[in-house]
Amino acid sequence: MFENLSDRLGGVFDRLTKQGALSEDDVTAAMREVRVALLEADVSLPVARNFVKTVTAKATGAAVTKSITPGQQVVKIVHDELIKVLQGEGAPDALRIDNPPAPILMVGLQGSGKTTTTAKLAKRLKDREKKRVLMASLDTNRPAAMEQLAILGQQIGVDTLPIVPGENAVQIARRAKQQATLGGYDVYMLDTAGRLHIDQVLMDEVQAVRDVANPRETLLVVDGLTGQDAVNVATEFDGKVGISGVVLTRMDGDGRGGAALSMRAVTGKPIRFVGLGEKMDAIEVFDAHRVAGRILG
Ligand code: GDP
């Protein structure tokens, strides 16, 4: 992720920092290149435009252009703005999982990595926070998906709700809640059904489950490789079911990274975690500083 963007920006900033004095025209020209680089990384147009506008305004001030190291100061301004774009005004809070059993609703399209991410997060909560976690698959259309979660549960040592054929998603959610309460679990995670595209059936089901579970967190899992599509999916889900955050998967891949850069600014929702591979430990808390550092090399 971000390799091309990082190379492109590296080239622009190398030239800027090698130059002694900087005129406003130098900054404007550099920012034009930054804008193209962002768009090529699949950052949404309004986000790229706004980013360049903000940086240009800050970087053409006399304090910057007349300073001893104007180029470096511009890079610093870009760095700080990147962090703002990536995380908004502050780092996201930790997951709200007090008041056991805390329900976490996992939503997203089929193939986004939802089931894998559910298990990864459950393992993380168990290993790092010593939480007792119960996972339940609500994907009644795909018995294989339910099996998949059960297998992952065994692998990572996290309980899954026993599969009862014939139940619908709402019934499973109710049973999960009941079992989580009676069984003394700290957290229960509901892995909802995905579909290939957003449609009314999917949204109706997720809304019905949400109303039963009253989740503390509703995490949308989206494929980071899909760029602006990922952001559109997030906007849709947020409008229909309300999400508390996003997990961007496949950030280990060679996507262009635009989803990470546009997500917060477009949807107003924080990226909470990133998926970095297929293994159960391949998940990290989203860290805007680390990402900005990687983009700026
Ligand atoms: P679901 O249909 O949304 O539940 O998707 P799955 O959890 O079944 O994941 C689909 C595929 O994506 C599986 O092969 C996962 O191993 C893979 N996958 C999930 N997350 C990641 C990730 O962060 N990186 C990579 N490289 N693969 C992932």
Side-chain angles (χ1 to χ4, degrees):
M1 280 279 173
F2 304 118
E3 283 86 359
N4 288 342
L5 178 61
S6 179
D7 284 353
R8 291 285 299 263
L9 294 184
V12 178
F13 295 141
D14 265 358
R15 264 172 279 141
L16 271 192
T17 43
K18 278 196 189 109
Q19 245 168 297
L22 282 188
S23 68
E24 288 200 14
D25 285 351
D26 293 331
V27 174
T28 309
M31 287 308 134
R32 208 173 293 133
E33 288 184 63
V34 167
R35 187 180 131 146
V36 173
L38 290 173
L39 293 177
E40 281 178 3
D42 207 16
V43 175
S44 90
L45 179 60
V47 174
R49 208 184 260 154
N50 202 30
F51 181 85
V52 164
K53 203 170 120 199
T54 312
V55 173
T56 307
K58 291 190 177 170
T60 49
V64 174
T65 47
K66 296 221 180 345
S67 73
I68 305 166
T69 57
Q72 278 169 17
Q73 302 224 17
V74 174
V75 177
K76 163 94 171 70
I77 292 168
V78 169
H79 175 264
D80 293 351
E81 284 308 310
L82 269 179
I83 288 170
K84 274 196 201 151
V85 165
L86 287 162
Q87 71 171 22
E89 292 301 325
D93 300 329
L95 289 179
R96 281 161 300 188
I97 47 170
D98 43 333
N99 288 342
I104 301 181
L105 189 62
M106 304 295 291
V107 299
L109 295 182
Q110 192 175 316
S112 59
K114 184 159 37 61
T115 299
T116 312
T117 302
T118 302
K120 284 177 179 176
L121 277 180
K123 180 170 191 299
R124 208 184 145 88
L125 290 173
K126 172 183 132 225
D127 292 350
R128 299 196 178 213
E129 303 191 29
K130 308 293 169 222
K131 299 292 183 193
R132 283 196 69 214
V133 183
L134 176 70
M135 304 189 290
S137 171
L138 276 51
D139 199 344
T140 53
N141 302 320
R142 295 193 309 145
M146 301 184 111
E147 278 298 317
Q148 185 194 350
L149 191 69
I151 291 166
L152 289 176
Q154 273 176 4
Q155 232 178 60
I156 61 176
V158 168
D159 293 342
T160 49
L161 190 72
I163 298 170
V164 175
E167 277 185 339
N168 65 31
V170 168
Q171 289 169 326
I172 301 173
R174 280 210 186 94
R175 190 157 55 85
K177 186 176 186 174
Q178 196 177 35
Q179 172 136 350
T181 308
L182 296 176
Y185 289 89
D186 299 304
V187 175
Y188 65 103
M189 304 184 69
L190 302 175
D191 181 17
T192 58
R195 286 182 168 250
L196 293 176
H197 303 284
I198 291 178
D199 61 22
Q200 200 54 44
V201 179
L202 171 69
M203 289 302 172
D204 286 349
E205 180 171 301
V206 175
Q207 282 169 355
V209 169
R210 176 201 62 191
D211 293 345
V212 167
N214 198 12
R216 302 297 314 281
E217 298 279 357
T218 301
L219 299 179
L220 171 74
V221 180
V222 281
D223 182 344
L225 294 181
T226 59
Q228 291 194 53
D229 275 348
V231 180
N232 295 339
V233 167
T235 307
E236 286 268 331
F237 267 94
D238 192 38
K240 300 250 163 65
V241 295
I243 59 175
S244 57
V246 174
V247 183
L248 270 187
T249 61
R250 301 207 176 84
M251 294 297 279
D252 50 311
D254 57 3
R256 294 175 291 166
L261 280 154
S262 303
M263 189 60 78
R264 178 76 202 219
V266 175
T267 67
K269 298 295 165 172
I271 303 171
R272 307 285 284 272
F273 296 92
V274 289
L276 294 162
E278 304 206 24
K279 299 232 170 71
M280 284 293 109
D281 286 321
I283 189 162
E284 280 179 8
V285 169
F286 178 71
D287 180 343
H289 288 261
R290 195 183 306 155
V291 173
R294 211 185 300 158
I295 291 172
L296 293 179

